[in-house]
Amino acid sequence: MAVDQRPDCPVQEDFDPLSEEFLADPYAVMAALPLDEAPVFYAPAIDYYVVTRYDDIESVFLDPDRYSAAAAQLPLVALEPEATEILLAGGHKPQPSMVSLDPPAHTRLRRPTSRAFTPRRVDDMKPRVRETLAALLDAVDPRAPFDLVQTLTFPLPATVIFSFMGVPEEDYAQLKEWCGHRATLAFGRPPAAEQVEHATSMAAYRAYLRELVARKADDRADDFASAMLAIHDEDPDALSQEEIASILFSLSFAGHETTNYLIGNVVRRLLEEPARWDEVVADPSLIPGAVEETLRFDTSVPAWRRVTKRAVTLGGVDIPEGSKLFLWLAASGRDASVFPEPDVFDPRRPNAKRNLAFGKGIHFCIGSALGRLEAQLGLEELTRRFPRLRLVEDQELTFHPNISFRGPQALWVQAER
Ligand code: HEM
């Protein structure tokens, strides 16, 4: 690909993370880019500066004074006025939740969330994760090929996070559907004709969570929503019920597709070289390393966003105030200055855990322990039950058209040969 040099700023006219070519294989696109010479470049197709080096991305995450989180969930296309009105009337603002807010608004939501999202609560999820895994895999007929996404990777994290939050089971399917609309609206390129439908779903999603909090207020249980309400009771001015609903809006989405795709990516990367799978079967102590290596090598959240609060220089490029940054986390995982031989998948890589897959700094992923736990327990159970698992041959993997959540939409496997 040619680099069109504008003053102080390389431009990649062809870089479009929503193109078919990119969705099918972003790592092939990455390999063809001159990232050594131009580690920061402007991509007119999305109107973002793309940041690819590990150190540059880390420095952005660690500097909330220079870089605002406001772009984190910003639609990539201008929305139709009708869709915008529906969103605003439904309480869905341009900075719709914690991950898009800067201090002090961010701190107001983050602090109580961290208080209620304790390591104990995550640890307590272990039996629930194991039970859910067993129930989902008991339903598999091992004699026939099955789609691991439908069977396991999609339902597991949804069930885990929704039950953690305190959502009644009969509402899981509806919430999952709303999450799909959210992914397209904030991270895809929805055509004008679809935007009203997405916006209407978003308003319904938010209204549902507000009602859930109101209902929980009169009917507490041992769940996250009730733990947040207990914090509200201590000091209603410090955390309103509306803010609790907003936090649930964060968790219901963040705890779901991220982990679905992580598990899909781990299993895919192990099975595409069957010797890798066999090695993990023979030595399950490799499982945490395999999960970590996948977060580096083929993360489920390949890009995150920021916007400059003032003019900055990043990777040698002068970037004006108010510019949007596409932090290409997937590229940070392939940065050879941090991860030697970055294109080799190695579950024993000593520093795989340095990956930036969960961000860093004040927005560092609250659910990292839960995401890792689900992926590790999932892999434990799969390798134990299906030691001879293989990919069904000649399947073409497809990926949801969005910039930030990536994993196979279906992964056909067979347990017996
Ligand atoms: C397993 C895969 C997961 C990945 C790769 C992932 C990745 C990320 C990333 C990149 C961020 C933004 C960090 C930043 O801006 O610095 C983030 C934030 C967040 N994640 Fe995760 N996440 C995962 C799982 C989860 C789970 C299971 C939860 C659930 C509870 C969760 C909840 C959150 C929340 C609430 C935030 C916003 C934190 C803030 O703004 O302060 N994530 N995550």
Side-chain angles (χ1 to χ4, degrees), residues 134-271:
L136 293 170
L137 293 177
D138 282 350
V140 167
D141 173 1
R143 288 162 305 180
F146 59 97
D147 172 12
L148 197 71
V149 174
Q150 276 306 313
T151 313
L152 180 79
T153 72
F154 185 73
L156 175 76
T159 306
V160 168
I161 194 67
F162 298 159
S163 70
F164 175 86
M165 286 164 51
V167 174
E169 204 166 334
E170 61 271 21
D171 298 337
Y172 291 2
Q174 177 62 72
L175 262 188
K176 282 189 214 170
E177 197 207 309
W178 285 329
C179 287
H181 289 285
R182 185 170 171 186
T184 303
L185 189 70
F187 302 95
R189 200 178 271 150
E194 281 176 16
Q195 291 175 6
V196 165
E197 191 197 343
H198 295 308
T200 307
S201 299
M202 211 56 52
Y205 179 7
R206 296 202 82 122
Y208 169 85
L209 292 171
R210 263 183 238 119
E211 281 157 28
L212 180 73
V213 174
R215 264 186 285 136
K216 284 267 164 197
D218 300 325
D219 184 16
R220 311 285 172 106
D222 182 15
D223 54 39
F224 178 83
S226 302
M228 299 299 287
L229 281 159
I231 295 174
H232 164 79
D233 294 344
E234 280 170 24
D235 182 358
D237 292 337
L239 182 67
S240 66
Q241 290 202 7
E242 178 70 24
E243 287 172 318
I244 298 177
S246 170
I247 290 166
L248 295 181
F249 183 70
S250 294
L251 293 196
S252 56
F253 184 75
H256 179 190
E257 292 299 15
T258 53
T259 312
N260 164 21
Y261 292 145
L262 171 61
I263 305 172
N265 291 343
V266 180
V267 174
R268 171 193 176 190
R269 294 308 182 178
L270 291 176
L271 286 179

Side-chain angles (χ1 to χ4, degrees), residues 86 109 132 175 191 233 257 263 292 311 356 380-381 384 389 402:
I86 294 169
L109 299 179
T132 311
L175 262 188
D233 294 344
E257 292 299 15
I263 305 172
E292 229 44 60
L356 293 173
E380 262 174 36
E381 193 61 16
R384 196 181 61 77
L389 199 70
N402 79 84

Side-chain angles (χ1 to χ4, degrees), residues 266-267 270 277 287 290-291 375-383:
V266 180
V267 174
L270 291 176
W277 180 264
I287 287 174
V291 170
Q376 290 175 11
L377 295 185
L379 203 51
E380 262 174 36
E381 193 61 16
L382 280 171
T383 47

Side-chain angles (χ1 to χ4, degrees), residues 61 69 72 97-101 106 110 113 117 157 161 164 247 250-260 262 295 299-301 303-306 329 356-372 374-375 405:
F61 276 139
S97 63
M98 182 186 330
V99 81
S100 301
L101 293 168
H106 170 257
R110 170 91 187 192
T113 309
F117 208 99
I161 194 67
F164 175 86
I247 290 166
S250 294
L251 293 196
S252 56
F253 184 75
H256 179 190
E257 292 299 15
T258 53
T259 312
N260 164 21
L262 171 61
L295 286 162
T299 175
S300 55
V301 182
W304 209 249
R305 289 178 279 168
R306 290 289 188 265
L329 303 181
L356 293 173
F358 295 108
K360 199 144 196 177
I362 61 167
H363 287 277
F364 180 77
C365 176
I366 284 181
S368 62
L370 181 59
R372 284 182 166 124
E374 290 180 59
F405 305 100

